[in-house]
Amino acid sequence: MSLVPSSKRSSSRSVARRQTLALSITEALRQEIVSGVRSPGSKVSEPSIAGSQNVSRAPVREALRQLEREGLVVFDAVGRCRVVELTSDDVEDICGLRVSLESTAASHAAARFSDATQRVLHDNLEQMESATTLDEVSMLDLAFHGEVMEASGRRRLIAAWRAIEPQLRLWLGTLQRRREAISADVLASTVAAHRQLIEVLASGDRTRAREFAAFHVASWVDGNDTTM
Amino acid sequence: MSLVPSSKRSSSRSVARRQTLALSITEALRQEIVSGVRSPGSKVSEPSIAGSQNVSRAPVREALRQLEREGLVVFDAVGRCRVVELTSDDVEDICGLRVSLESTAASHAAARFSDATQRVLHDNLEQMESATTLDEVSMLDLAFHGEVMEASGRRRLIAAWRAIEPQLRLWLGTLQRRREAISADVLASTVAAHRQLIEVLASGDRTRAREFAAFHVASWVDGNDTTM
DNA sequence: GGCCGCCAAATTGTCGACAGTTTTTGTCCC
DNA sequence: GGGACAAAAACTGTCGACAATTTGGCGGCC
């Protein structure tokens, strides 16, 4: 398999680290996990990956640690690594934390909403309106919420979000591999909610932003079946 | 779903990983940073640490990555590592996130409050009452809140807390190195607040737990001077 | 005195190797 | 067929080494 070329990180905030083998492998593995090529619970050993990617174990090791940070793999007591298996409990956990983080972020974002942010969000909205596949919508949805997080300007809040976002992607992927089509009304309501969130953020009303974000995320969670 | 038997160590990791060189070095470095032996902004290079600890660079490298995860060191674009320099902005950031996480945790903890947890918290309370140094009180305070986080049973919530807790320790350390004595009324009010929090948690009222925790943490933040 | 380029030292990213464990395989016996 | 047991394979943690960069210092030049 070839290493993913990795378009540069969309977020301008995080420091662009020099491209390194460990980074390429991290991205490649993340993609494999989220896309389901590596199924939950399957073993992930350093030598096998090092062999398949034609690198030494060192960068692989580093990549696995990064993926652990993102919650996509877990290490057992003896250091063995496996792809994480998300239970419905885990999903609940993730979503609960997500509500906390996003509502807090929305509150901050409302206090420092910029034109640039608004442009980015509107852009995302337009893309979503013309999206066709469920996968596309999900990714745009995550990107939208990621931008709101970034707009909060709170580094540690963003870091906490980044620690669960890949798990959300993984979960959404699993869901999508069961369904296939995209429900038109879900798309419509998501777009509507996002549009409304932008307005609330632009209004600068922090309390309302917090509450609306909490409500939107929570109802989004309800809209998706969390049982696995 | 198994939960921590609560029998073992108080600051329990979810998994007791086998003792490893990387772990020892992580702990040693963390201590050096939090205690101020390594001052904020100072360089942390792999060879120097490897040399001083008589190990190779590999475990040092891993330790530094762990410390980065804990926010105690930062890497620049070319991979150089330094001890983090916390600005008043950072502290605000940390505390804001802390309020979010702890109030959420309190809400969950109230819903599943156990006798074991109550015992641990009361134990902490007693220790704090007989504490003499400011350092002692701070550590017990952090331990108390850590236990509340654990009591929430939300792994990812706990993980997010662990990602900022060391930075809190670092900040408290710097503060303490400026003052010296412990204010009796601060101690008293902290103990009182903790006692009250235990009661609220035991009552099982999730909303009240959330609100009380948010209030307590926020006022604690106000009580400490965040300007650096 | 201050700025510029050059050389030496230091540092990171990556590699291959080895020892100690853990897991798997294969075999023999019941 | 199933279980105990031993050999074999696989894996992790750690080490030392090397090349490519980056940093720091030094002398020269304006």
Side-chain angles (χ1 to χ4, degrees):
Chain A
M1 287 297 141
S2 63
L3 297 177
V4 174
S6 97
S7 57
K8 62 179 164 180
R9 206 86 176 99
S10 60
S11 63
S12 53
R13 182 157 296 280
S14 63
V15 187
R17 251 203 264 224
R18 195 176 37 185
Q19 182 69 350
T20 182
L21 269 184
L23 225 121
S24 309
I25 295 173
T26 303
E27 287 164 5
L29 282 179
R30 187 191 296 123
Q31 182 56 30
E32 289 183 11
I33 293 174
V34 171
S35 70
V37 173
R38 287 180 188 272
S39 50
S42 61
K43 284 180 289 193
V44 183
S45 75
E46 293 170 11
S48 70
I49 296 170
S52 74
Q53 302 272 4
N54 275 84
V55 295
S56 79
R57 278 176 50 211
V60 174
R61 212 178 157 72
E62 206 162 317
L64 291 184
R65 284 331 225 282
Q66 173 60 30
L67 292 174
E68 181 195 24
R69 185 197 294 217
E70 298 174 8
L72 291 182
V73 303
V74 293
F75 288 85
D76 64 19
V78 285
R80 249 75 180 207
C81 181
R82 297 175 162 277
V83 176
V84 70
E85 295 179 278
L86 293 179
T87 66
S88 59
D89 239 35
D90 288 320
V91 175
E92 206 182 315
D93 192 8
I94 293 168
C95 292
L97 183 50
R98 187 184 169 186
V99 171
S100 281
L101 298 179
E102 290 208 35
S103 55
T104 303
S107 162
H108 287 295
R112 55 198 295 288
F113 203 62
S114 72
D115 287 351
T117 301
Q118 186 156 29
R119 260 194 302 278
V120 172
L121 292 182
H122 265 131
D123 213 56
N124 179 291
L125 213 54
E126 282 176 22
Q127 285 184 263
M128 192 180 282
E129 278 170 332
S130 62
T132 54
T133 71
L134 184 49
D135 184 77
E136 224 177 322
V137 173
S138 293
M139 291 304 113
L140 284 169
D141 184 63
L142 277 185
F144 182 92
H145 288 277
E147 289 297 340
V148 175
M149 295 298 308
E150 297 275 351
S152 75
R154 301 278 151 168
R155 265 187 306 181
R156 288 162 186 83
L157 200 58
I158 297 169
W161 157 262
R162 291 228 181 92
I164 59 169
E165 194 247 24
Q167 296 170 69
L168 269 172
R169 297 232 308 264
L170 172 57
W171 175 52
L172 289 173
T174 342
L175 281 189
Q176 281 157 28
R177 256 165 264 128
R178 297 192 192 162
R179 312 172 186 177
E180 62 297 319
I182 172 176
S183 156
D185 57 333
V186 164
L187 173 57
S189 69
T190 299
V191 169
H194 283 191
R195 190 185 309 283
Q196 214 172 333
L197 180 53
I198 295 178
E199 276 172 29
V200 176
L201 290 177
S203 80
D205 186 333
R206 297 188 56 173
T207 304
R208 214 152 67 86
R210 153 168 257 122
E211 286 167 0
F212 184 80
F215 172 76
H216 167 50
V217 174
S219 63
W220 174 91
V221 171
D222 289 340
N224 289 275
D225 191 1
T226 65
T227 60
M228 302 188 75
Chain B
M1 186 184 46
S2 71
L3 221 56
V4 244
S6 81
S7 55
K8 299 245 289 210
R9 58 275 187 236
S10 53
S11 66
S12 60
R13 300 271 155 126
S14 35
V15 206
R17 263 224 263 261
R18 197 175 35 184
Q19 182 67 354
T20 183
L21 268 185
L23 232 142
S24 311
I25 295 173
T26 303
E27 287 164 7
L29 284 179
R30 186 192 296 123
Q31 183 56 31
E32 289 183 10
I33 293 173
V34 170
S35 70
V37 173
R38 287 180 188 273
S39 50
S42 62
K43 284 181 292 192
V44 183
S45 76
E46 293 172 11
S48 68
I49 296 170
S52 73
Q53 303 270 1
N54 275 83
V55 295
S56 78
R57 278 176 50 210
V60 174
R61 213 178 156 71
E62 205 160 316
L64 291 184
R65 286 324 235 280
Q66 173 59 31
L67 292 174
E68 181 195 24
R69 183 198 295 216
E70 298 174 7
L72 291 182
V73 304
V74 292
F75 287 86
D76 63 19
V78 284
R80 249 73 180 206
C81 181
R82 299 177 162 278
V83 176
V84 70
E85 295 179 278
L86 294 179
T87 66
S88 59
D89 239 33
D90 288 320
V91 174
E92 207 181 316
D93 192 7
I94 294 168
C95 293
L97 182 51
R98 187 185 170 184
V99 171
S100 280
L101 298 179
E102 290 209 35
S103 55
T104 304
S107 162
H108 287 295
R112 56 199 294 288
F113 203 62
S114 72
D115 287 350
T117 301
Q118 185 156 30
R119 259 193 303 279
V120 172
L121 292 182
H122 265 130
D123 214 56
N124 180 291
L125 213 54
E126 282 176 24
Q127 285 184 265
M128 192 180 283
E129 279 171 332
S130 62
T132 54
T133 71
L134 184 49
D135 184 77
E136 226 176 319
V137 173
S138 293
M139 291 306 112
L140 284 170
D141 183 65
L142 277 184
F144 182 92
H145 288 277
E147 288 298 340
V148 175
M149 295 298 307
E150 297 275 351
S152 76
R154 300 279 152 168
R155 266 186 304 179
R156 288 162 187 83
L157 200 58
I158 297 169
W161 157 262
R162 290 225 184 93
I164 58 170
E165 194 247 22
Q167 297 169 68
L168 269 173
R169 296 233 307 265
L170 172 57
W171 175 53
L172 289 174
T174 36
L175 279 190
Q176 281 157 28
R177 258 165 262 126
R178 296 193 194 160
R179 312 175 188 176
E180 61 297 320
I182 172 178
S183 155
D185 58 332
V186 163
L187 173 57
S189 70
T190 299
V191 169
H194 283 191
R195 191 186 308 283
Q196 214 171 334
L197 181 53
I198 295 177
E199 277 172 28
V200 175
L201 291 177
S203 81
D205 186 335
R206 296 188 57 172
T207 304
R208 214 152 66 85
R210 153 170 258 121
E211 286 167 359
F212 185 78
F215 172 75
H216 167 49
V217 174
S219 63
W220 174 89
V221 171
D222 289 340
N224 289 276
D225 191 0
T226 66
T227 61
M228 302 188 75

